[in-house]
Amino acid sequence: MNKALRKAVIAGNWKMNKTRPEAKELVEAIKPLVADAGCEVVACVPFTNLETVLDAVKGSNIKVGAENCHFEKSGAFTGEISADMLAEMGVEYVIIGHSERRQYFGETDETVNKRTRAALAAGLKVILCVGEMLADRENGITEELVSLQTKIALKGVTAEELKNVIIAYEPVWAIGTGKTATAEQANEVCAVIRNVIGKLYGKEAADGITIQYGGSMNAKNAAELVAQPDVDGGLIGGASLKAPDFAAIVEAATRG
Ligand code: PGA
């Protein structure tokens, strides 16, 4: 698989952090540090910060994403935000199927599929998260599970739409725990996902799709992870909230 065929993407996932003034401060601090990035740089922020961050990144190379969206276009879904609402604001990316949404908010592979399709139909780029729990890894079913998650999430997604999909492999046991997958473990599962894409969409699609690693990626371990042949950048939680750390990860991805 040819890594040169695809662009690395470093995306911050701010989760439920930052008031609007804090969001502005953080993104203003990140901007100059990543201005020369050789990879795509994305900040996925809480809904309430989207307008602030969209405004702050104008004229810079930072793209803006949301952390979730609903699958219906509109209607009686109190508290939800549709993909069209995000697109209309100028939001470019949306994270779908993050493990925290699967664990705490009843997200299933089926709703991940519905959200993915709705986001793509609205013209958004999707960062689709898959990954196993510790028990799955211990039971030796990581490959099967992640393959299934990927297949179900992409049901009904066309080859053309797939060009707007990034997959983030995030082992749940590595998220926010400080326990990173080894570079070999990360690469192994990213390669499994690429293989699934190859079976579903063909070699060109498999070669072209960006597959990130996520889970306690930081300024220290990023270089080794993003240097792996099947790892095309990262989805960064905790370390995306500190401008120098996030910039160091962007730099590591720029070097490849
Ligand atoms: P973490 O989070 O970097 O804090 O482990 C990653 C994520 O949840 O996307």
Side-chain angles (χ1 to χ4, degrees):
M1 296 293 175
N2 190 347
K3 202 167 164 133
L5 292 173
R6 41 189 189 264
K7 196 171 190 183
V9 180
I10 297 294
N13 173 11
W14 290 12
K15 309 195 179 184
M16 195 175 72
N17 292 292
K18 304 293 176 191
T19 60
R20 288 209 289 179
E22 288 167 354
K24 183 163 170 56
E25 192 182 329
L26 176 57
V27 80
E28 291 293 356
I30 292 171
K31 253 194 324 192
L33 301 179
V34 303
D36 297 324
C39 62
E40 179 101 327
V41 182
V42 187
C44 297
V45 307
F47 293 131
T48 50
N49 291 338
L50 285 170
E51 198 169 8
T52 304
V53 174
L54 279 165
D55 205 45
V57 302
K58 272 188 193 133
S60 82
N61 59 334
I62 302 176
K63 307 287 168 55
V64 179
E67 301 174 11
N68 182 36
C69 70
H70 198 258
F71 42 81
E72 295 294 346
K73 283 184 94 60
S74 63
F77 301 99
T78 303
E80 292 297 315
I81 304 282
S82 77
D84 286 337
M85 290 172 180
L86 297 175
E88 183 266 338
M89 290 183 80
V91 171
E92 209 172 308
Y93 283 86
V94 62
I95 299 173
I96 301 284
H98 189 278
S99 65
E100 284 150 17
R101 297 219 57 88
R102 293 179 192 252
Q103 274 180 290
Y104 309 136
F105 302 101
E107 189 87 72
T108 64
D109 289 329
E110 284 71 27
T111 57
V112 169
N113 173 246
K114 287 165 90 169
R115 284 178 220 270
T116 298
R117 289 164 67 174
L120 291 170
L124 296 172
K125 293 179 180 150
V126 170
I127 301 177
L128 168 65
C129 300
V130 296
E132 82 285 4
M133 313 272 278
L134 185 58
D136 303 321
R137 183 161 278 271
E138 286 171 352
N139 286 329
I141 59 165
T142 299
E143 292 191 10
E144 289 90 336
L145 189 96
V146 170
S147 299
L148 275 178
Q149 288 176 335
T150 306
K151 273 188 198 169
I152 299 171
L154 293 176
K155 201 177 65 184
V157 172
T158 66
E160 197 51 36
E161 287 175 325
L162 188 76
K163 292 177 184 159
N164 282 330
V165 177
I166 289 173
I167 298 178
Y169 165 55
E170 298 207 308
V172 180
W173 48 270
I175 294 176
T177 58
K179 278 189 213 148
T180 324
T182 64
E184 292 72 29
Q185 285 172 328
N187 191 61
E188 195 174 42
V189 184
C190 288
V192 166
I193 295 167
R194 201 175 299 288
N195 198 30
V196 170
I197 299 299
K199 285 197 185 125
L200 293 175
Y201 295 95
K203 184 175 184 318
E204 201 180 317
D207 277 342
I209 194 165
T210 295
I211 304 181
Q212 303 171 311
Y213 167 78
S216 299
M217 196 189 270
N218 58 39
K220 286 205 179 80
N221 62 26
E224 195 190 355
L225 287 159
V226 299
Q228 296 300 307
D230 277 298
V231 179
D232 310 314
L235 183 56
I236 323 297
S240 73
L241 298 172
K242 295 180 202 124
D245 292 31
F246 186 65
I249 298 169
V250 168
E251 205 186 313
T254 297
R255 284 194 307 266

